[in-house]
Amino acid sequence: MARRVCITDTDQPDLATRVAHEVFAGLGVRVDLLQTRDPAELAARASDADGLLVQYARITPGLMETLPRLRVIGRYGVGYDNVDVTAATARSIYVCNCPDYCTEEVADHTLALLLATTRGVLPFSHHVAGGGWSIDPAQPVQRLRGRVLGIVGIGRIGGAVAVRARAVGLTLIGADPYVSDERFGALGVERTDLPDLLARADYVTLHVPLTDETHHLMSRETLAMIRSGAVLINTARGGVVDTAALVEALRAGRLGAAALDVLEQEPPPADHPLRTLPNVILTPHAAFYSEESLIEVHERVTQDVARVLAGEAPQNAVNRDARSPR
């Protein structure tokens, strides 16, 4: 029986299908674009799939039970919280991602959000577009050099942010219990814990994966620890921040501003307060994006799915102990 790979859903259907057909050409693999996140539809239409390529669809234990031939799940992105990795591993199904494809893009976007909030870019632009010509709309603007950036998570992206931030004169502190002292030292980041970081930082930027441990890491309690007037930047995962608590902190003036590329609900409802609060900058989960990064993530994830179907080990498996025997 011919092997089959299903693309469950993607924002770039033309790119995803073109890359898949190129990668699987000559391997006897049929590629189908399903373009659905509905679990019942996926169970019906992908029942004979040997591999899945996934963007947003949730791949649950129940869905895996309906896909008896499934050997590998490729997730277009760094995060993989929409795939139950434990269940996949128990079924000897590899889960592959692309852990470093957009490091530079997300770090650049983080710095752009920081600079936009610091320099009053949006209020100045709106003021001039409306006919004004004054510094009044963004006052007070403080000098950037010498202010403190707190980086929560010193992995690939957090480290890339540190390099950029040091170049513009920010003092760097960081919190990450899983990273060595040597890495902190090499990046010029002072090691501290989360409560101290929140109390000292003028800007807090989040660079952690979404796990049970980090879900609502920025809660009502931790947001209350943040230095008054500080700016919170999130280009990680929306679920790391308790949205309701964030809105409260912004409305109460405890936070100076928030710059968010990711939200718990994407897109937010039209009447969501984050859309209208004057001290909020929102971008549409776009920090990962460049033309180069889109091509890279599709090629590398698809190539790993092809490796598994060819009986090889993938380059980027988040569960290498899956060791699919089939």
Side-chain angles (χ1 to χ4, degrees):
M1 184 181 295
R3 289 168 296 177
R4 182 173 181 233
V5 169
C6 293
I7 303 170
T8 62
D9 64 306
T10 173
D11 286 337
Q12 290 83 36
D14 292 341
L15 175 62
T17 52
R18 175 177 63 77
V19 168
H21 284 296
E22 289 173 355
V23 170
F24 293 117
L27 299 180
V29 176
R30 171 184 162 193
V31 177
D32 290 311
L33 173 66
L34 306 184
Q35 206 64 314
T36 181
R37 306 181 201 178
D38 180 74
E41 188 175 355
L42 288 172
R45 297 177 62 192
S47 59
D48 61 346
D50 300 277
L52 295 180
L53 288 162
V54 178
Q55 186 161 0
Y56 302 114
R58 300 198 68 79
I59 311 301
T60 64
L63 178 59
M64 291 181 216
E65 288 284 356
T66 71
L67 311 178
R69 289 175 45 176
L70 190 63
R71 295 174 56 191
V72 58
I73 301 165
R75 202 270 154 172
Y76 295 129
V78 176
Y80 46 88
D81 45 275
N82 56 324
V83 178
D84 192 314
V85 176
T86 301
T89 304
R91 292 166 173 79
S92 297
I93 299 169
Y94 277 118
V95 178
C96 305
N97 68 336
C98 195
D100 56 356
Y101 84 100
C102 61
T103 298
E104 302 300 315
E105 285 83 356
V106 177
D108 290 344
H109 201 86
T110 300
L111 187 62
L113 291 175
L114 189 155
L115 292 171
T117 56
T118 301
R119 295 300 308 169
V121 170
L122 286 182
F124 281 145
S125 179
H126 294 157
H127 176 64
V128 173
W133 194 262
S134 164
I135 66 171
D136 293 344
Q139 286 184 298
V141 169
Q142 307 293 341
R143 177 176 291 167
L144 190 63
R145 180 169 294 276
R147 293 174 76 80
V148 178
L149 174 65
I151 305 173
V152 182
I154 311 292
R156 291 184 182 88
I157 295 173
V161 169
V163 171
R164 288 156 172 76
R166 189 170 58 183
V168 297
L170 286 162
T171 297
L172 307 180
I173 62 176
D176 191 327
Y178 302 105
V179 170
S180 68
D181 290 339
E182 288 75 17
R183 178 163 174 79
F184 275 88
L187 291 168
V189 179
E190 176 192 339
R191 182 170 211 147
T192 187
D193 58 20
L194 184 61
D196 182 64
L197 181 150
L198 297 176
R200 293 168 55 195
D202 298 293
Y203 311 95
V204 176
T205 183
L206 306 176
H207 301 288
V208 296
L210 180 59
T211 65
D212 290 342
E213 182 182 6
T214 62
H215 180 257
H216 284 187
L217 182 68
M218 292 294 102
S219 62
R220 191 167 277 104
E221 292 72 26
T222 49
L223 286 169
M225 299 178 189
I226 290 184
R227 180 175 180 172
S228 178
V231 174
L232 178 68
I233 302 166
N234 188 11
T235 56
R237 281 290 184 268
V240 175
V241 178
D242 182 333
T243 304
L246 175 64
V247 171
E248 288 178 11
L250 289 163
R251 283 175 166 165
R254 293 195 304 276
L255 275 179
L260 312 169
D261 183 59
V262 289
L263 299 171
E264 289 189 275
Q265 181 179 0
E266 296 179 353
D271 61 349
H272 198 286
L274 288 176
R275 287 186 181 269
T276 57
L277 284 169
N279 52 347
V280 173
I281 294 177
L282 296 178
T283 56
H285 203 141
F288 74 93
Y289 169 66
S290 71
E291 289 297 302
E292 293 83 357
S293 72
L294 285 181
I295 294 170
E296 184 178 4
V297 70
H298 283 83
E299 289 181 343
R300 290 174 60 188
V301 172
T302 305
Q303 287 163 359
D304 256 353
V305 170
R307 288 186 183 97
V308 174
L309 297 186
E312 303 171 12
Q315 289 187 349
N316 293 304
V318 301
N319 60 341
R320 290 198 171 275
D321 50 342
R323 299 185 184 278
S324 176
R326 291 169 286 168

